[in-house]
Amino acid sequence: MEGLITYLVIGLVKGSILALVALGMVLIIKATNVINFAHGDLVMVGAFVTYGIVTYSGLPIWISVLLSIVVSGLLGYITYHLILKKISHGPLISIIMVTLGISYFFQGGITLVFGSKNYSFPKIFPDGMISIAGLQISYLYIYSLIIAAILMVIFVILFQYSRLGLAMRASADNPKAAESLGIRRNKMAAYSWIIATIVATIGGILLASLNVMNVGLAHIGLVVFPVLIIGGLQSLIGAVVGGLFIGVTESVAAGYINPIVGSSTEELVAFAVLLIILMVRPYGLFGKREVERL
């Protein structure tokens, strides 16, 4: 029983980070109708940018983290304006290929600067353990879960209830009507990339704190796709539920199945769950069936 609780706690922490990263992808999809295949690389780049600032600037850890968030926001803005904005009206396949190109560019750039070896991320949380129902849990997991949960709530409130969130949704749903009301589509798209990149950076910092840091952090972008599809692709609540569900499922699989088969099965289980859910709910748990009238 103690082992199950441990796996559930680890799964909730990982799932909350997955959900946070997935929310950034949902934001870009809802604001621009573009699936960003480089989102996992933004997570990885954000972690390495933070590591570089913390290691080489000599600034206090939290000031370095805030500075890295500003830098990541600028990176999102520059990426959109220099690349995505130029092809925003092009064919969908062109946009997809461009995001894949951005992915390889980021991976190549980080590998060129830092190499492919593992790094230990500087400590941003205090050491220690807390006892919950007789189970010892590291402060690192507790703080990561709390931060991810707070950011998820802020994110949902921002997009669902703020003027900026309303403008983003209007711009994506009906660009011409939004333009007639003074809402600039390119401006909303730029905001979505800035916010999504910042959220990805925070997710990267949390992931790098929990595990070793290397270029492989970008792999989270692949894991996020089951989260998005299970949640309904454009649903914020679905991204949260899907992230927590996949995180817990992978953690339990790692704890109980991996020792039996002698290999890693987390991703296999995640995509198997995705297939099962899609057979029952083709549009995801929170997706809406699209009806086309002829």
Side-chain angles (χ1 to χ4, degrees), residues 191-204:
Y191 281 147
S192 71
W193 271 84
I194 292 171
I195 296 172
T197 307
I198 289 174
V199 171
T201 294
I202 296 173

Side-chain angles (χ1 to χ4, degrees), residues 50 53 64-74 198 201-202 205:
T50 306
I53 293 175
S64 298
V65 169
L66 292 175
L67 182 58
S68 70
I69 289 174
V70 173
V71 171
S72 66
L74 289 173
I198 289 174
T201 294
I202 296 173
I205 292 171

Side-chain angles (χ1 to χ4, degrees), residues 17-150:
I17 297 174
L18 280 173
L20 189 62
V21 175
L23 284 172
M25 289 190 71
V26 171
L27 177 62
I28 291 178
I29 293 172
K30 290 178 76 70
T32 65
N33 291 318
V34 171
I35 297 177
N36 177 24
F37 285 90
H39 201 70
D41 300 275
L42 294 178
V43 174
M44 178 264 298
V45 170
F48 272 99
V49 167
T50 306
Y51 175 84
I53 293 175
V54 172
T55 304
Y56 301 111
S57 70
L59 296 172
I61 182 69
W62 285 105
I63 294 179
S64 298
V65 169
L66 292 175
L67 182 58
S68 70
I69 289 174
V70 173
V71 171
S72 66
L74 289 173
L75 176 63
Y77 179 83
I78 292 171
T79 301
Y80 173 76
H81 269 279
L82 290 185
I83 305 174
L84 272 303
K85 182 180 177 180
K86 308 296 183 183
I87 62 164
S88 59
H89 300 291
L92 178 60
I93 186 63
S94 298
I95 299 175
I96 291 174
M97 293 306 298
V98 165
T99 60
L100 286 172
I102 294 172
S103 170
Y104 283 107
F105 176 80
F106 283 150
Q107 288 191 39
I110 292 298
T111 302
L112 182 66
V113 175
F114 292 94
S116 57
K117 64 180 181 179
N118 296 333
Y119 291 86
S120 295
F121 198 81
K123 292 182 179 179
I124 58 177
F125 302 117
D127 294 323
M129 308 284 286
I130 185 173
S131 179
I132 300 178
L135 183 66
Q136 297 296 315
I137 303 174
S138 170
Y139 282 134
L140 177 59
Y141 286 95
I142 300 298
Y143 282 117
S144 297
L145 182 59
I146 292 174
I147 290 174
I150 291 174

